[in-house]
Amino acid sequence: MSKLSEKIAAFGERHPTLYKSIALSENVLKKTVFKCQGCGQCVLSHNAFTCCMRCPKQIRNGPCGGTRPDGHCEVYPERLCIWWLIHKRAAKLGRVKKLSKFHIPADRRLENTSAWLNMFAGRILPFELGKKSRDVNLTKKDPPSIK
Amino acid sequence: MVSKSNFELLLNQGSFVVCGEMSPPQGADKAPILKKCAYFKDYVDAVNLTDNQTAIVRMSSMMSSVFAMEGGVEPIMQMTCRDRNRLAMQSDLLGAAAAGIKNILCLTGDYMTFGNHPDAKGCFDLDSIQLIHTASELNKGRFLSGDEVKSPPGLFIGGAANPFAEPFEMRIIRLGKKIAAGAQFIQTQPVFDLLRFEKWMAAVRDNGYDQQAHILAGVMPVRSVKALINMRDNVPGSMIPDECIKRMDVVKESKEDSIEVGVAMAVEIIKRLREIPGVKGVHLMPVMWESITPRIVELCDLLPRPVPASGDDAL
């Protein structure tokens, strides 16, 4: 991200009340709309706006081998396989190509932090509105010092 | 440089490879492993040692692999992401390589609730593709953290693929991701439905993945119709055509006939798999029936097993 966005993130992280209100509004939106699991490193825009952390195995790189023929999860047969849903929605939105992007292991320190500010700070992949994946080289950065 | 495994050399020289699979014992005695090794030695080129498969606790795949080497069999150590975080997995990979294990198969792992400790906490710190990436980084001399590995392990890295689970398109995408992450060989779930497998292989060839990694098709010999039906109903992501079940169902009264039909079916599948372009070998999965391996390999005219052309590649 740009220098300006990094400054915005740093400002937010310096002010606990501001940080908490940003994190709260993000939570309210994402938890109600996307059933967000709070990993703090959002990949919604890569995965057809469906949260992959809802998978029992929390796989960030596509479905395990146990998806049932009707698209249900092997662990919880009453639920849909989240990656089956992601693929279906991606096909509808023309975003299947984005699913071939490799996602690096999650940074567990970012759990329950604000993904928006993490994105501004350049810790995580940027939001992608386009249908093509961009190559972004992330440099390793420390997690925000407040929670 | 670390020398390459027999298994890798055979694949690289274009031989049609046969792998076996055995599950470690549920106890602290290595004798069962050595006993099973006798069924595989000289009949297959490498044997998978499962890592707490179906989430049932067994002897560790790493130590079982070491015992398999004692038994004269080249091991493919399976590693699942269910039980370990990224620290443990990297240290296990280094330890395995130091013990002489050269082939690994990276899996995400069956969920805990399928096994005998359904109350356990799953780790799933990495997924299988990230594990392949991790192993490939170790080979290049870097830990996940970016720190330097003093002597890189030089592992031959494998991944799994399931051509039979939905959604089909996603299976190809995921295979591509595994290969891009560093998988050098791919073992598939057991093939019963050849039409579906051929469709999958055609898609694999269209993407050129068969040129970038060695594809080994899974084959599971079964000895009773009950096992087949159990698999169809209780193993998600498996596809078993009705004709297979019918064939086994006809002979279900007689144990001997069931075995004969089971063997004949496995042999037929292997013979048809050999004709599919891009299939570099088969991966036999005789679950709890390891003793049948020599007969199947013999009936498929796959004996004697080839020996890698000497030396040159090993340097």
Side-chain angles (χ1 to χ4, degrees):
Chain A
M1 294 301 261
S2 66
K3 279 266 168 338
L4 177 68
S5 67
E6 282 180 29
K7 275 185 186 161
I8 295 172
F11 182 82
E13 284 162 20
R14 269 202 310 275
H15 297 82
T17 323
L18 178 62
Y19 190 92
K20 275 176 196 159
S21 51
I22 293 174
L24 181 71
S25 40
E26 184 178 348
N27 256 339
V28 168
L29 175 75
K30 283 190 181 166
K31 289 219 155 108
T32 47
V33 180
F34 302 109
K35 295 187 189 161
C36 162
Q37 304 290 309
C39 69
Q41 42 219 299
C42 200
V43 282
L44 275 174
S45 63
H46 300 263
N47 293 340
F49 309 100
T50 308
C51 177
C52 60
M53 297 305 268
R54 287 160 62 190
C55 164
K57 298 181 188 172
Q58 301 192 336
I59 306 182
R60 288 171 81 85
N61 280 302
C64 76
T67 317
R68 291 166 193 268
D70 57 358
H72 283 245
C73 170
E74 69 165 1
V75 182
Y76 301 104
E78 69 280 5
R79 290 187 205 166
L80 278 178
C81 162
I82 200 66
W83 275 101
W84 186 85
L85 200 59
I86 289 172
H87 174 261
K88 196 176 143 201
R89 288 179 179 165
K92 226 179 244 176
L93 299 172
R95 294 170 82 89
V96 175
K97 271 203 179 133
K98 293 183 88 72
L99 303 182
S100 28
K101 184 180 175 59
F102 169 68
H103 290 280
I104 56 166
D107 183 343
R108 308 291 169 182
R109 297 171 300 178
L110 297 180
E111 273 169 22
N112 301 319
T113 59
S114 163
W116 288 343
L117 287 178
N118 288 336
M119 184 178 82
F120 280 142
R123 290 187 191 100
I124 63 170
L125 292 174
F127 183 86
E128 282 186 9
L129 206 57
K131 291 181 181 178
K132 277 189 181 162
S133 284
R134 279 179 289 163
D135 270 335
V136 184
N137 276 327
L138 291 174
T139 45
K140 293 219 169 193
K141 288 189 177 174
D142 289 334
S145 49
I146 47 167
K147 275 203 175 180
Chain B
M1 249 327 252
V2 194
S3 65
K4 287 181 176 173
S5 71
N6 213 19
F7 175 56
E8 181 176 6
L9 291 173
L10 284 175
L11 280 170
N12 286 344
Q13 74 181 31
S15 307
F16 192 81
V17 164
V18 183
C19 299
E21 178 163 312
M22 66 166 118
S23 42
Q26 287 179 285
D29 183 8
K30 67 178 179 179
I33 299 179
L34 297 175
K35 189 182 152 205
K36 285 177 186 175
C37 280
Y39 302 132
F40 290 116
K41 200 183 169 203
D42 302 328
Y43 292 102
V44 300
D45 305 308
V47 175
N48 284 39
L49 277 298
T50 57
D51 182 12
N52 295 339
Q53 96 268 28
T54 62
I56 290 169
V57 180
R58 292 170 182 276
M59 191 188 283
S60 77
S61 62
M62 196 203 307
M63 281 322 291
S64 308
S65 300
V66 172
F67 298 140
M69 285 192 284
E70 271 179 37
V73 161
E74 179 165 309
I76 300 174
M77 182 178 95
Q78 296 196 358
M79 181 172 270
T80 65
C81 301
R82 178 192 53 232
D83 309 324
R84 303 174 192 80
N85 68 4
R86 57 193 90 179
L87 279 83
M89 287 202 281
Q90 290 181 95
S91 77
D92 276 2
L93 288 178
L94 295 182
I101 299 164
K102 290 169 184 166
N103 315 302
I104 57 155
L105 182 75
C106 305
L107 306 163
T108 304
D110 293 316
Y111 204 69
M112 296 73 68
T113 47
F114 290 110
N116 59 359
H117 290 72
D119 45 355
K121 181 180 193 301
C123 189
F124 300 111
D125 187 23
L126 306 181
D127 62 36
S128 55
I129 298 180
Q130 292 163 347
L131 176 57
I132 290 169
H133 166 77
T134 307
S136 140
E137 288 290 295
L138 287 179
N139 276 355
K140 288 179 201 151
R142 277 191 304 271
F143 287 104
L144 263 188
S145 63
D147 293 350
E148 186 202 348
V149 182
K150 290 275 157 50
S151 17
L155 295 159
F156 187 47
I157 306 164
N162 188 355
F164 309 104
E166 296 298 326
F168 184 75
E169 189 182 16
M170 214 49 225
R171 300 294 150 193
I172 303 293
I173 293 176
R174 209 164 130 81
L175 176 67
K177 280 171 100 164
K178 287 194 177 182
I179 292 170
Q184 294 156 287
F185 70 95
I186 299 289
Q187 293 180 332
T188 76
Q189 291 293 314
V191 178
F192 289 99
D193 191 338
L194 278 151
L195 289 177
R196 168 83 172 203
F197 186 76
E198 274 164 6
K199 183 181 159 203
W200 181 79
M201 269 314 291
V204 169
R205 286 194 302 272
D206 287 347
N207 286 287
Y209 295 147
D210 61 322
Q211 304 298 323
Q212 298 163 32
H214 305 286
I215 312 265
L216 308 177
V219 176
M220 183 185 279
V222 281
R223 53 180 154 179
S224 71
V225 70
K226 234 168 76 187
L228 263 186
I229 291 174
N230 180 40
M231 206 170 140
R232 181 190 65 185
D233 296 342
N234 300 326
V235 182
S238 57
M239 214 176 248
I240 295 162
D242 289 339
E243 55 194 277
C244 288
I245 292 178
K246 261 184 218 153
R247 256 179 91 176
M248 293 293 288
D249 196 49
V250 178
V251 289
K252 70 177 169 191
E253 301 302 331
S254 152
K255 214 174 158 186
E256 286 77 28
D257 287 355
S258 289
I259 288 176
E260 289 308 313
V261 173
V263 169
M265 246 166 53
V267 171
E268 268 167 43
I269 291 172
I270 294 173
K271 285 190 173 162
R272 281 188 64 185
L273 287 172
R274 282 187 81 172
E275 287 162 15
I276 301 175
V279 176
K280 304 284 170 58
V282 287
H283 171 51
L284 283 175
M285 286 179 258
V287 182
M288 312 308 282
W289 196 24
E290 288 85 355
S291 56
I292 199 66
T293 314
R295 217 183 127 196
I296 291 178
V297 178
E298 201 176 346
L299 282 172
C300 293
D301 301 323
L302 287 164
L303 287 178
R305 296 307 310 142
V307 183
S310 61
D312 48 307
D313 263 0
L315 293 169

